[in-house]
Amino acid sequence: MESINPATGEVVDTYEEPSDDDIEEALRRASQTADSWAETSFADRRTLMNEAADVLRGRTDQYAELMAEEMGKPITQGRSEVEKCAWVCEYYAERAEEHLQDEVVGSEPNAHTLVSYEPLGPVLAVMPWNFPFWQVFRFAAPNLAAGNVGLLKHASNVPGCALAIEEVFRDADFPEGAFQSLLVGSSEVENLLADGRVKAATLTGSEGAGRSIAQNAGRNLKKTVLELGGSDPFVVLDDAPMEQTVESAAWARVQNSGQSCIAAKRFIVVEDAYEEFLDGFINELESYEIGDPLDEDTDIGPQARPDLMEDLHEQVEATVEAGAQCHTGGEPLDREGAFYPPTVLTDIPRDSPAAREETFGPVAAVFEVADEEEAIELANDMKFGLGASVWTEDLERGERFARKFESGGAFVNQMVKSDPRVPFGGVKASGYGRELGRPGVREFVNRKTIWVQHGVGSISLGE
Ligand code: NAP
């Protein structure tokens, strides 16, 4: 396995893939550790989770540089990502116990009935390269705190990040086998899902990978959570506070060099606000610094791989050929590395790629609509349903509008984000299940009903 710097094309490092014996040994360790880890107290897990947060903070620069080299993330954004990972560790160190308390439920007067939340064991996490630390910690922190153990199959272009994350847990004194990275390709996932020691799986990645993992997990009757793609609408109503809206819109599109599942991708603007929005939006996007991800001033780095940039450019070309107008960008930059500039398209036919597909790079599709009704109709006319946002001075109107989005999350006057405190996930082709929050921490647990009868129980009808 090789990691290649997308800003220069140079090989960062090469890694040996594990043999069949190595994989067998990792599974054995995971299964063995799962038994003892499930028995540890929340207090013990809390100590180790807090230690993991300290390890992360102590290596912020090192890990931010690693992300910049392996997948081109601008260094300042990499530091924020490491800090967010430390936060999620601390958050679940504190909150896991509260979310997983036994829940007493009413049944009959002569019985004590409750639901207990018991860990499942080794959970396979198949993860993407775009937030190579955060996506993994979003899975690992709640799940390790819940008593599960993690097996990571990270994206093949970020093996250094995969090993660094394993090192965080090792150096925080988690037991050997509590969190392991397997440097394997996607073809190995089917075998892992078929192994009886792997109890469940979570994927953050593309729709295609989601379908494949769901099929394989289904064949083995294993629970899955799927966090897939998105084409989030960003709806601008006629009373939107324009200056802040434009600033947020531009950053919502180009954060992480445009490679975010919850980046705003379709900007739906009512006609009274359209001209002002479009002018401001283009100006803001053109003001960003594009360059070396290791440079402190860089806002937008390279795309993570040249082939992904080519796919993005093909979507832009096909949309323009279908009749769209390109206002800025639209061509890879004429320089070394996979650099694609912020690109704004308008007059987009509804059946063209920018209207129908996810654009995983800094390409904004801007639509003009007559009114609120047309805005929500267009926002929901998409196979994905991950996040959505609406911008307006009138908060009640915003909340009413937010309830109409077909999405797993809806924000008013706020960029869509994943935050340790609230559940995150999608509907429709964006997947199912939740990470984070109470629903997230309860995905990979056995919600066991315990019924204690006082006195002798009556004969029941069974099922
Ligand atoms: P990807 O190609 O689906 O890869 C994601 C992970 O899945 C990688 O580890 C990949 O391994 C593995 N994989 C790919 N095909 C597979 C298969 N058939 N069976 C098993 N594993 C498979 O996605 P990506 O290009 O890395 O990431 C971009 C996509 O992820 C976008 O669609 C984005 O919206 C989505 N995403 C969603 C979220 C969310 O929270 N909903 C967050 C971030 C990204 P290899 O690298 O070895 O191929």
Side-chain angles (χ1 to χ4, degrees), residues 17 26-27 36 53 61 131-132 144 151 173 179 220 230 245 252 255 265 294 302 332 365 382 413:
E17 295 195 31
L27 287 166
S36 49
D61 286 338
F131 288 86
L144 292 179
L151 281 166
D173 276 340
F179 187 92
N220 294 287
T245 302
Q255 57 174 320
K265 291 167 187 141
L294 289 167
M382 171 50 73
N413 297 343

Side-chain angles (χ1 to χ4, degrees), residues 9-27:
E10 282 164 14
V11 174
V12 179
D13 221 332
T14 53
Y15 299 82
E16 211 172 305
E17 295 195 31
S19 65
D20 289 350
D21 285 349
D22 294 335
I23 295 173
E24 171 57 31
E25 179 55 20
L27 287 166

Side-chain angles (χ1 to χ4, degrees), residues 110 453-457:
N110 287 336
Q453 190 71 37
H454 303 162
V456 181

Side-chain angles (χ1 to χ4, degrees), residues 233-234 248 252 388-392 410-417 419:
F234 183 110
S248 302
S389 65
V390 59
W391 299 75
T392 169
F411 292 70
V412 180
N413 297 343
Q414 171 67 273
M415 278 170 56
V416 179
K417 56 184 177 178
D419 178 307

